[in-house]
Amino acid sequence: MSSSLSAVRTASKSIDGLVQQRYARAVAQGALLFTESSVYKHREQGEVFEVRYVPVLAKKPSSKPKEKQHTKDFVNPFLPYDERLHVKRLGTSHHLLLNKYCVVPHHLLITTAEFRQQGEPLSELDFKAVLETIDSLSSRNIVFYNSGEESGASQPHKHLQVLPMPEYLDAPPSVGLWLRSEPPVDCVYTSE
């Protein structure tokens, strides 16, 4: 990594306090709904996975994202987004928002600034927004994209999710499984 890029990354690690402040304010204002969950650790192929059990989600209506957006009562929560959940703009193409329905504190969403369909392949701009986000947080995070109905996607507006990684993990368990597959070295990126 070039020294100038390294300096930019070091200087940009400044939004942790902003995320914590906005989270506390959103909870106090009732803009964000934190739901308690039970945590279980599951070991699979030598990797520890954290599984969260959230009984209230069993009552969540099942809907397919593409069908949902065509119903008469559909409201896109990201256009316009709730200002109380906004953390920062990511370039011109994305926003960083707090997840209104979180089961983990400081659960973030990277949303497209204009409507894009959830399930579309990730674009270069999506990856730039992800890198800007993880490089501006000092803690380790897991970023994922529910890109289809089978993955649990329920919101038709394109968004990625950012979760703080549990402190007991050195890396997301999926990384350990992937690295065991011996990927080409030039396919591996870390933000550290």
Side-chain angles (χ1 to χ4, degrees):
M1 170 183 334
S2 74
S3 60
S4 62
L5 182 56
S6 180
V8 168
R9 287 189 176 166
T10 303
S12 69
K13 291 205 184 273
S14 61
I15 70 164
D16 295 5
L18 179 62
V19 169
Q20 292 168 2
Q21 173 194 13
R22 297 276 166 89
Y23 177 84
R25 186 178 69 198
V27 169
Q29 294 174 339
L32 185 148
L33 305 170
F34 175 76
T35 303
E36 292 290 334
S37 60
S38 302
V39 179
Y40 301 92
K41 293 178 185 163
H42 175 75
R43 185 171 292 278
E44 184 71 32
Q45 297 182 38
E47 299 292 332
V48 177
F49 289 81
E50 185 174 282
V51 178
R52 290 187 171 268
Y53 176 65
V54 189
V56 73
L57 291 181
K59 298 175 185 168
K60 180 180 173 183
S62 169
S63 64
K64 299 175 181 178
K66 286 184 181 178
E67 292 174 8
K68 185 178 194 176
Q69 79 184 64
H70 296 297
T71 62
K72 65 179 180 171
D73 58 343
F74 171 68
V75 176
N76 184 337
F78 307 139
L79 287 176
Y81 55 80
D82 184 335
E83 287 285 342
R84 300 170 298 174
L85 301 175
H86 191 259
V87 176
K88 72 178 271 188
R89 180 90 183 199
L90 300 168
T92 59
S93 61
H94 291 76
H95 293 281
L96 186 62
L97 306 174
L98 293 165
N99 187 342
K100 179 175 183 150
Y101 302 104
C102 61
V103 296
V104 175
H106 310 128
H107 182 169
L108 300 169
L109 300 175
I110 298 170
T111 66
T112 54
E114 296 180 8
F115 182 83
R116 302 298 306 168
Q117 190 70 49
Q118 185 77 0
E120 284 182 8
L122 294 174
S123 69
E124 183 177 343
L125 290 173
D126 295 325
F127 282 104
K128 285 181 179 179
V130 167
L131 291 176
E132 181 179 343
T133 300
I134 62 176
D135 285 345
S136 65
L137 294 164
S138 63
S139 60
R140 294 175 307 162
N141 291 272
I142 298 170
V143 179
F144 63 95
Y145 179 53
N146 290 338
S147 62
E149 295 163 18
E150 292 78 23
S151 70
S154 61
Q155 178 53 244
H157 187 125
K158 191 176 197 181
H159 63 286
L160 295 98
Q161 301 192 45
V162 182
L163 290 169
M165 194 163 66
E167 290 184 18
Y168 64 86
L169 291 177
D170 293 328
S174 55
V175 170
L177 295 174
W178 181 63
L179 288 174
R180 270 194 233 122
S181 72
E182 299 180 6
V185 174
D186 61 346
C187 292
V188 180
Y189 170 82
T190 67
S191 63
E192 296 178 356

